[in-house]
Structure formats: structure tokens, C-alpha cells
Amino acid sequence: MNPALPIPSTSVPTGDRSVRPLQVGPSENEKISIIRQYLRIALRWRYVIIGAIVASALIGLVVTLLMTPRYTATTTIEIARESNRVTNFQGVDREASIADQEFYQTQYGLLKARSLAERVANELRLVNDPAFFEMFNVGDDTNPAFNVVNGRYPANGRAERLRAAGDVLLKHISVEPERLSRLVSVGFESPDPALSAKVANAWADNFIRTNLERKVQATAYGRDVLQRQLVQLKGRLDQSQRQLVDYASNERIINLPGQSEGSAERPIVVDDLAALNAALSKATADRIEAEARFRQMGRGGASASALVNPAINGLRERRAELAADYQRLMTQFEPGYPAAQALRSQIRELDQSIAREEQRVTGSLDADYRQAVQREQQLQTRVDELKSRYIDVRRRSIQYNIYQQEVDSNRALYDGLLNRFKEIGVAGGVGVNNISVVDRADVPQKPSSPRMLLNLALALIAGTLIGAGLALALEQMDESIADPGEIERRLGLPLLGSVPKVVGTTPREALLNRKSDLVDAYLAIHTNLRFTTEHGVPRSLSVTSTRPAEGKSTTALALATMLAREGRRVILVDGDMRAPSVHALGDVTHNQGLSNFLSGDNDIERLTFRMEDLGISAMSAGPVPPNAAELLTGSRLSLLIEQLLERYDHIVIDSPPVMGIADAPLIGSRVECVVYAVESHGIRSTLVKTAIGRLLAANVHIVGSILTKFEPRKAHYGYGYDYGYGYGRDTGSKD
């Protein structure tokens, strides 16, 4: 079975005329690849897309050939954030920041200023050059400003020509900053290469000059403003200084300058207090040391001064020697021995001398102690007096400091403005510029436009886009049924199968060839019909379509043939009494047939004929009646179906189309079900919906639909419906 054809489900019907739902093609929830959709649309409308591309390419080629060659000359300049500083020795260039974007955007805007364009036009004398305006097709004889008299323009129209020349230059100038750099390319395009180079270079030069002029003007204005402010601040500074001096004189406040640069002034009492405080500290230390020596001697101990006194130490050494001599004499003689008495006398004299020296040292220590106490007390009194004076000075210096702060503030403001005034004067005199020319423009040797390859590429891209847009628009406007999946999605009918378009042969011949694609397709449809009712293929059915020539007659003939090849007894009835066609398949006339029976002729045998090659019986439409619908409204059609079912297993009626006539609903209401044929790419879906609505209104049971004359290459989404019909035809191939 062809895998591209619908696969029947296994649901159980609810009645004789119930239809088993069929799974047709991809389900609604299955996602279709968007790439496959667009590819199928492109293949379907490929000639539209190719035509648009070819037309665009031809237009691009013609336009390119007709364009006048133009030459572009480019000058490269560097724009620094601001001019190099000559008055600030802490740095040369200013650091970049986010605010630089605003600066550079401003510079780019100034490069496209009208004033700059008019300045260049005036410098190059383009205002009075007729060749320049003629080159760019500006001005005409009707405008007095461009009326050439004796080869020259009139003087009274110069302002208008200047504006026109500026507009021309602005239109053809290009300013292109180089990314991540301070370089800017200024280019000018014109038919004259020499003019392009002159304009590009003049543009850069005049931009630099205008930048300098703006700085000079800004410097002059700033200098005037600063000069007025300096006069005001000088007056305020003088007034505050006089106020400070008057207050210091009245309050007798004397301050010494700071010890280091930048330090504040200090009162003179501070230095006196510091000096006396240092002397007091030294006197206190001396008094403590003298008191310690004095108290040590008062406790009966030898003072440190006595111990280190050389005179006392000499006397003590002499006494020790005499005492040693006396002890040696005592070992031999009595104390009354004259020599011993003399030694004792000398020892007593030495003891008296030592006592006198120690007393003298003690008196000296006492005097030193008393003198140290007196000095300390005097210094302490003087320090206390200076402290009182310092506190009084601090109290009187509060207002003095206020005046001093005002003087310092005025002096800082005055010094700052004075330095700024000097810097502006130096900068204005030096005239340092932050814009410089890196590369000057040369006369271009090759035209910059038109560019053949680029224009053709753009034309091809535009043609592709236009072709794609046209293809999508045509696809959206196309209401035809393009592929089997749209049967259920658009019409709401189950799909019984799709039938390929027969090319190079008749449908009858294709049916006789059991290996043809047509036979394979109708075999699949026949298989699906088995699952539409509980008893298999409906015993009576009609085949109809929206309008003629959609393949309904071929479908009726094919279904009857497939049923007959199963060994069933089948009869094909031509129900289209307005345009009969079945008789031609059997090579007979339609002098007798369905219309005869409906008119009262009950001889069915005489009204039918046999198609032996297809194995089926057939009944032609019979003579064309005046009004076929009147014959179908009676009960004779139902009677015919009953009698035919007694003789045949299946009845297949080739019904007339639905639109315009009432025959199809009348026939469909008498049979078990209706098979609806829809021509692929041949009928609008809205018409099919209308026709189906008419059948449903007549209580006609539509079992499903068949897509006829299907061409897989024209399908929208390419589900692969072309696969399977010719499977196994190539005997040389092996699976």
C-alpha cells in the first residue's frame, strides 16, 4: 500500500451510513517544517521568482550603464578630545570618558554644518562657476540668480547661489568616523575627480580654521568676563584685608607667620608659653633631683655629692693610711708611745677636717634645693599668667579668624581667576588646535560609482526579495487545493486518497494497465472504502464534484472497475443526464438509459450494456430530458436502486456536479453515501465548501473525498505523496 495515502482507523461505526474516521496525512498537531514549506512554495512559484530576479538584474544592469561615473576623494583628519594643554604641567592629554561620545557627535555635526559648506563654496569660488552648477543640474534659466549674462552670473543672486552651492556640497559630502579611533574620513563625490580632491581638502582646512576661530572668540569672551570678575574680587579682597588689620590693631592681636608653607598664623603668646613651659619642665626636674639629694642627706646617709667629692675622698684615704700605721705600732708598743700618740693626734685632725667638708657639702645641697624650689615657683607663676593671656587672645581671635577666613577665601578666588585669566591669555595667543589633517586627498584615478558588481548583487538581492514576496502573496491568495492534507484541513472531509494526473494516455487505457499509477491509486481508495461502513464498501454510492471536468466520471469508472476485479457484480450508472459520458466509454449511444427508466420504462436489461474489458455493466444517461431534476424528484430512482441491488453487489452512480443544478443532492439522498471528487489546483476551496454545504443541507451522507489530478511537485508542503505509485516498476532494482 502506498505509504503516502491515508491510513484507515479502527473505530467502530454507529450505523449503516456511518463513516469511519480516517487518518489523512499529517495530523493537525504535527508540526510542518517551515523550511520545507518555504521550499515547496519557492518550487511552485519558481518561475515568478526567477522572473523577478531576471527583471531586477536587467534593470540594475541598465541603470548602472546609464549612470554617470563619479569620483570620490577622501581626506583623513584626527579630532582630539581637546587641545593639548600648555599651561598645565600635570598632564598633556585629557582622559577619555563616556561624555566623549557627546563631544565627537558634536564634531561630526559641525563637519556637516551649512556654514562650513558655504564657506568652502565661497573659498573655491563655486558660487560664480556655471560649470559647477551645470555638473550637478542645479538652477535653470527661469531663475534670475542662475541667468548667465556674458558668461557670468549676476551679482544680486549671489546669496541664493551660495545657499544652492552649500546644499550641493552637503548632499555629496560624506563624514565617516573610523571605529575605535579619533580618525574621521571626509569624502566628496562628483563627476570631476579634480573637484572632488579640492573640495575634500578645502573642507578639512576650513573645518580646522573655523574650529580655531570659535576658540579665539570663546577665549576673548571668557577673558572679558574674567577681567570683570577679577576687578570685583580685588575690591572684596582689599576690603576684607583692611577689616582684618583694623580689628587686629584695635584688639592688639599680634600673630607670627606659620613655621611651614601653608600653615596658619599663630599668636606671639604661643611661642612665649611654649618656651616658659619647657623651662618649667626643666626647673621641676632640677627641683626633684635637688630634693632627692637633700632628703638623702637628711636621713643621715652620705650624700652622693660627699661620696664623689675629691677633697673628702683624699682626706679619707690619708686617715686610712694613718690608721693602718697606728695599728702596726700597737702590735709592738703601748698607746702612750710617743709615735703612737702623734699618729692619734693626726687622725683626730683628719676626722675634724672630713666633718667640716661634709658639713660644707650639706649646706650646698640645701642651698641648691631651696634655689630650685624658688625657680620652679617663679616659672609656674609666669606660665599661669601666659595661659590666662592665651585664653584671652583665643577669645579675641574668634572674630579675627572669621575675618581671616574671609580674606583667605577672597584671595583663593582671586588667585584662581587670575591664573585662569593668564591661561586663557596664553592659550588665546598660542592658538593650539585639537584637529589636524592626517592624509590629504589625492585626485582619484578610478570612479567610485557606479560599481557594476555591487549594483548587480543588490539587484539580484532585491529581485529575490521581490520574487519571494510575490510568491508568498500568490500563495496566500491561492485558494486551490494543493495537496491531500488540505482536504481535511480546509473542507473538513475525510480523505479517501489522491489520484495522480494521467499524462499521455486516457483514463480507460490507464485502468486497463494494471501496473499504472492510476490503478495503484484507486486500489488504495478502494481499500479505504472498505472501512467506511460495517459491511465494507457501500453497496450504492455516487461520485460527484463541484463543477465539471474534475475527474468524477473517471473516479466512478475506476471504483466500479476495482470492485469488479474483486469478483463483485458492479454496475456503473451515468446519472449526469445533462452531459452524459458513460456511453462513450462503452462505445454505444445514449438513446436508452437512466432517463428512460425514470420516465417509466422498467426493462432494465434493455437499458444496460456490458463493458467486458473492464468487467462491469453500465447504464447510460439515456436521452437528455427537458428537466432532469423533475425526473429525479420522484420515487423511480429509489426503485431503480432497489432493483439493481437485487442483481448487482454494488451500484456506482456518476453524478452531475453540485454547483448550479439540483441533480447531485437528489441522487446523493437516494444512495448509501457520496464520494466527493476535488481537482488538485483546479477549484477554489470556497466553492467546494459551498457545494458541500448544499449536499449536507439535503441530508446527503458524504463518506469522504478524493483528490484528483494530483501533481506532487505542486504540493504546498511536500509530504511525499509522489512516493509509492511506481514502486517495484523497475525490474532491475532490488530492495
Side-chain angles (χ1 to χ4, degrees), residues 507-527:
R508 182 185 178 88
E509 293 174 351
L511 289 174
L512 291 175
N513 181 10
R514 295 188 177 230
K515 292 186 178 182
S516 66
D517 294 343
L518 193 69
V519 172
D520 289 340
Y522 280 111
L523 278 175
I525 295 172
H526 170 255
T527 302

Side-chain angles (χ1 to χ4, degrees), residues 48-86:
V48 174
I49 298 175
I50 293 173
I53 294 175
V54 172
S56 298
L58 290 176
I59 294 174
L61 179 61
V62 172
V63 171
T64 301
L65 294 176
L66 294 177
M67 290 177 64
T68 302
R70 292 181 174 271
Y71 299 83
T72 301
T74 303
T75 298
T76 303
I77 62 176
E78 180 188 6
I79 302 178
R81 176 61 180 85
E82 63 178 11
S83 60
N84 295 335
R85 300 180 179 182
V86 296

Side-chain angles (χ1 to χ4, degrees), residues 677-724:
V678 179
E679 181 183 2
S680 176
H681 291 285
I683 186 69
R684 291 185 300 169
S685 58
T686 53
L687 293 177
V688 180
K689 290 180 181 179
T690 303
I692 293 174
R694 291 190 61 189
L695 293 178
L696 295 177
N699 198 25
V700 174
H701 188 204
I702 304 174
V703 72
S705 62
I706 298 174
L707 186 65
T708 62
K709 304 180 183 180
F710 175 61
E711 297 179 81
R713 61 186 180 85
K714 293 184 178 181
H716 286 183
Y717 307 118
Y719 293 119
Y721 294 103
D722 52 340
Y723 172 77

Side-chain angles (χ1 to χ4, degrees), residues 79-142:
I79 302 178
R81 176 61 180 85
E82 63 178 11
S83 60
N84 295 335
R85 300 180 179 182
V86 296
T87 57
N88 186 356
F89 295 99
Q90 296 179 354
V92 176
D93 292 332
R94 181 178 176 180
E95 296 182 356
S97 63
I98 299 177
D100 290 348
Q101 294 297 325
E102 179 181 354
F103 168 77
Y104 283 110
Q105 292 299 326
T106 303
Q107 297 301 312
Y108 304 151
L110 292 175
L111 275 169
K112 295 182 179 180
R114 175 182 294 276
S115 59
L116 180 59
E118 293 179 354
R119 179 168 180 160
V120 172
N122 192 35
E123 178 181 327
L124 297 179
R125 300 181 180 179
L126 302 178
V127 180
N128 297 320
D129 188 359
F132 171 77
F133 292 104
E134 183 179 356
M135 184 185 304
F136 294 97
N137 297 322
V138 177
D140 50 26
D141 295 337
T142 59

